[in-house]
């Protein structure tokens, strides 16, 4: 047998070496090597359990653990020789271990398969990434609460159909994004809870003939429990799909947020100024300051939606149990994590440095008859049914449109031609401050409600960190 054949841990039954192109085509080490800390962590736990069960001697376990630590140090230092001949991260590490410690290294894979090994590695890795992403979401939420606090009384137009609708406070507006992110954070916690179940012990698909203790290995690795069913444990990637679905929803939220920041920072809106540190210029137009960060995040939502479709399609129709198809889960999953993590991080940094142009917001809120509903509510309080009040105010708005004047700029006599019930106290409801202050109930835009919601928000972050 040639060296090329014998070097492969599975080459016993093979008579010809792997075709060179097939070797490269089927290898995953170029991308799955990033799992190495988790692969080593899983192997150490597995060897520890095997020794405790008397399947390995304590001396073998000690040699394996020490050898794996040396491999880890070598990889950390960038000194490890990865080989595509050894296909994936698992066989690269196992081969290096055996080269280092000899016979004991060959015993590490007792009662284990790469099938339960890879499913375990990916879960361990994703669990850590979810913790990091959730912490980044908290940073972003905190930046939004801080901004909401600074701008609790700042008035801007609220929009429906991108047309001025009713005045709202910037604080209230930012708290809307806070709520969406809070659900995103909860979804990820929920995903983490479901994925924190250990495949190890399922071996290739049917379990193993050795007297293993799966509960002990699970405990060593911080899993809540071992997976109930060995076939399910090695084959399903629903946890990866679920995570990517959560990521897609989060990116959908960030894409909406981005769209708004892009519009708001344009000369036409002029509502906000993004910090120079988060914008870039144009190589030809000297005056340009472009909102590249929100644009890029908006763009990245597309690839993550794509990864969700990719993973669903990867899993669709796969027969039980493990199939090599599943090797294809890694690149989309890695790319989703990298881009999601980067997007939330850059948003957390950027939102801490947003300046509101209060005068521009205020001027915009004064256009578009944003207090028309307040006038209708005023008439209702004087006994007019809401539908009739709506009609009366509609006529007043028509006059304002004809004359290019806001409702607050019409005289009392002009307003009274539409209803004799209008008195000079009407002007307090037609002001922007009066309009927002009047929406003074749980979930409303009044500054007092915004301040209370900010305090609750801070508490929620502290309670569910
Ligand atoms: N590289 C493989 C993967 O990512 C590891 C499991 C391979 N198992 C096998 N029987 N070929 O899925």
């Amino acid at each position: 047998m040639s060296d090329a054949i014998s070097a492969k841990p599975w080459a016993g039954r093979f008579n010809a070496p792997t075709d060179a192109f097939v070797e490269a085509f089927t290898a995953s080490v170029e991308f799955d090597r990033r799992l190495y800390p988790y692969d080593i962590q899983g192997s150490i736990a597995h060897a520890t359990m095997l020794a405790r069960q008397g399947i390995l001697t304590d001396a073998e376990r000690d040699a394996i653990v020490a050898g794996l630590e040396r491999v880890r140090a070598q990889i950390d230092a960038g000194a490890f020789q990865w080989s595509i001949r050894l296909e994936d991260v698992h066989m690269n590490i196992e081969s290096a271990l055996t080269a280092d410690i000899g016979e004991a290294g060959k015993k590490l894979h007792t009662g284990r398969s790469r099938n339960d090994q890879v499913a375990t590695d990916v879960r361990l890795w994703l669990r850590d990434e979810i913790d990091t992403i959730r912490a980044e979401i908290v940073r972003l939420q905190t930046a939004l609460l801080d901004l909401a606090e600074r701008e609790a009384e700042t008035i801007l137009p609220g929009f429906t159909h991108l047309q001025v609708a009713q005045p709202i406070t910037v604080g209230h507006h930012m708290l809307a994004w806070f709520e969406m992110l809070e659900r995103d954070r909860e979804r990820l916690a929920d995903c983490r809870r479901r994925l924190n179940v250990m495949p190890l012990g399922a071996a290739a698909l049917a379990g193993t003939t050795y007297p293993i203790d799966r509960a002990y290995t699970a405990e060593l690795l911080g899993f809540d429990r071992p997976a109930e069913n060995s076939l399910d444990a090695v084959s399903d990637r629903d946890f990866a799909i679920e995570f990517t679905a959560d990521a897609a929803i989060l990116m959908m939220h960030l894409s909406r947020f981005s769209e708004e920041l892009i519009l708001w920072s344009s000369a036409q809106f002029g509502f906000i100024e993004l910090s120079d540190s988060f914008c870039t210029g144009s190589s030809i137009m000297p005056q340009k300051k472009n909102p590249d960060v929100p644009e890029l995040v908006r763009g990245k939502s597309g690839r993550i939606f794509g990864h969700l479709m990719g993973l669903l399609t990867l899993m669709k129709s796969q027969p039980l149990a493990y199939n090599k198809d599943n090797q294809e889960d890694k690149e989309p999953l890695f790319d989703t994590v990298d881009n999601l993590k980067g997007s939330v991080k850059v948003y957390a940094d950027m939102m801490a440095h947003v300046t509101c142009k209060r005068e521009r917001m205020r001027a915009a809120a004064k256009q578009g008859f944003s207090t028309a509903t307040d006038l209708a509510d005023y008439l209702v309080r004087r006994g007019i049914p809401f539908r009739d009040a709506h009609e009366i105010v509609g006529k007043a708005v028509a006059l304002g449109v004809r004359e290019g004047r806001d409702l607050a700029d019409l005289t009392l006599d002009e307003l009274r031609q539409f209803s004799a019930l209008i008195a000079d106290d009407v002007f307090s409801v037609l002001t922007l401050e009066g309009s927002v202050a009047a929406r003074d109930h749980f979930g409303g835009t009044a500054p007092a409600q915004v301040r209370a919601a900010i305090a609750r928000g801070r508490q929620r972050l502290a309670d569910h960190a």
Side-chain angles (χ1 to χ4, degrees):
M1 213 190 279
S2 77
D3 278 357
I5 302 177
S6 62
K8 295 200 195 284
W10 43 249
R13 65 149 296 167
F14 286 75
N15 296 314
T18 314
D19 174 272
F21 183 74
V22 169
E23 190 164 78
F25 186 76
T26 54
S28 55
V29 66
E30 290 300 338
F31 47 86
D32 67 16
R33 59 206 253 186
R34 75 187 272 171
L35 293 173
Y36 80 86
Y38 302 95
D39 196 70
I40 290 171
Q41 185 190 2
S43 289
I44 289 176
H46 179 65
T48 305
M49 180 277 292
L50 290 179
R52 191 171 186 247
Q53 298 302 103
I55 303 164
L56 292 181
T57 66
D58 287 356
E60 285 167 339
R61 175 203 57 208
D62 292 346
I64 287 172
V65 172
L68 286 170
E69 293 294 3
R70 280 192 293 277
V71 172
R72 191 207 313 264
Q74 226 191 344
I75 303 175
D76 285 346
F80 190 83
Q81 269 299 327
W82 297 99
S83 159
I84 70 158
R85 205 146 48 79
L86 291 165
E87 205 175 310
D88 54 27
V89 62
H90 323 293
M91 295 203 294
N92 268 270
I93 291 175
E94 194 190 316
S95 291
L97 174 71
T98 301
D100 182 5
I101 68 170
E103 287 302 299
K106 297 189 196 164
K107 297 192 176 181
L108 170 62
H109 213 51
T110 310
R112 186 176 77 168
S113 154
R114 279 183 297 153
N115 296 351
D116 58 345
Q117 189 178 358
V118 69
T120 300
D121 291 3
V122 176
R123 284 170 192 255
L124 286 172
W125 165 79
L126 189 54
R127 189 175 75 182
D128 270 4
E129 295 290 0
I130 287 176
D131 291 343
T132 306
I133 292 164
R134 290 186 75 244
E136 288 295 319
I137 296 174
V138 169
R139 268 200 333 116
L140 171 53
Q141 288 181 293
T142 303
L144 294 178
L145 290 178
D146 293 345
L147 179 57
E149 196 144 54
R150 288 198 295 281
E151 309 293 343
E153 321 222 336
T154 307
I155 292 174
L156 84 163
F159 296 90
T160 60
H161 313 273
L162 205 55
Q163 311 281 325
V164 171
Q166 294 173 343
I168 55 170
T169 51
V170 172
H172 192 55
H173 194 101
M174 290 304 149
L175 289 173
W177 296 118
F178 175 90
E179 287 302 317
M180 291 177 241
L181 290 164
E182 186 66 0
R183 290 193 297 277
D184 291 326
R185 204 162 66 89
E186 282 173 12
R187 263 187 285 274
L188 288 169
D190 201 39
C191 173
R192 185 196 197 283
R193 185 177 58 75
R194 245 188 308 282
L195 76 73
N196 200 29
V197 170
M198 187 191 71
L200 275 182
L205 75 164
T208 176
T209 56
Y210 302 95
I212 57 172
D213 181 350
R214 299 185 66 213
Y216 179 59
T217 318
E219 190 189 314
L220 290 176
L221 292 172
F223 283 112
D224 293 330
R225 57 189 170 84
E228 287 275 346
N229 182 284
S230 64
L231 299 173
D232 173 46
V234 290
S235 64
D236 204 354
R237 296 293 183 265
D238 59 350
F239 68 93
I241 298 172
E242 182 175 350
F243 168 80
T244 309
D246 295 348
I249 294 173
L250 205 174
M251 290 303 290
M252 174 278 293
H253 285 150
L254 290 186
S255 80
R256 297 180 65 193
F257 203 170
S258 296
E259 178 75 3
E260 191 163 278
L261 296 178
I262 293 160
L263 286 170
W264 284 15
S265 62
S266 69
Q268 289 73 14
F269 273 80
F271 284 6
I272 55 165
E273 172 105 31
L274 298 174
S275 156
D276 281 3
S277 318
F278 294 87
C279 296
T280 60
S282 158
S283 56
I284 174 170
M285 298 170 283
Q287 84 282 14
K288 295 284 276 180
K289 175 176 162 183
N290 297 325
D292 285 29
V293 167
E295 286 176 348
L296 204 50
V297 169
R298 186 177 59 181
K300 284 179 185 298
S301 63
R303 71 201 278 168
I304 292 183
F305 296 177
H307 292 325
L308 174 59
M309 280 306 120
L311 288 171
L312 280 168
T313 313
L314 169 67
M315 198 75 243
K316 177 185 178 296
S317 309
Q318 270 194 54
L320 285 174
Y322 176 86
N323 301 283
K324 183 80 166 181
D325 308 42
N326 284 340
Q327 181 165 293
E328 286 287 304
D329 65 351
K330 285 167 205 65
E331 287 161 294
L333 196 53
F334 293 162
D335 191 71
T336 298
V337 161
D338 293 343
N339 285 288
L340 182 71
K341 203 163 52 172
S343 298
V344 179
K345 181 206 165 0
V346 77
Y347 247 80
D349 296 340
M350 178 177 69
M351 292 312 294
H353 298 96
V354 169
T355 315
C356 289
K357 295 177 172 169
R358 296 177 183 163
E359 286 313 310
R360 286 292 300 259
M361 289 180 168
R362 188 177 177 79
K366 276 177 159 288
Q367 290 163 6
F369 307 97
S370 65
T371 56
T373 316
D374 297 84
L375 179 55
D377 291 343
Y378 171 91
L379 292 169
V380 168
R381 286 197 293 277
R382 272 153 193 72
I384 298 182
F386 182 77
R387 275 290 152 238
D388 295 339
H390 188 288
E391 169 86 17
I392 290 166
V393 178
K395 295 211 159 79
V397 167
L399 172 66
V401 171
R402 277 198 303 281
E403 308 224 330
R405 291 150 70 201
D406 189 56
L407 289 179
D409 300 330
L410 299 178
T411 66
L412 183 58
D413 284 344
E414 282 171 322
L415 286 168
R416 281 177 63 88
Q417 57 181 314
F418 302 108
S419 169
L421 291 171
I422 298 176
D424 63 1
D425 60 352
V426 72
F427 292 104
S428 68
V429 311
L430 293 179
T431 65
L432 298 175
E433 280 73 17
S435 175
V436 296
R439 286 163 171 80
D440 189 20
H441 53 76
F442 185 90
T445 193
Q449 293 294 338
V450 169
R451 290 191 200 289
I454 293 168
R456 287 195 303 273
R458 295 204 192 279
Q459 194 56 49
R460 286 152 80 191
L461 292 186
D463 289 347
H464 308 284

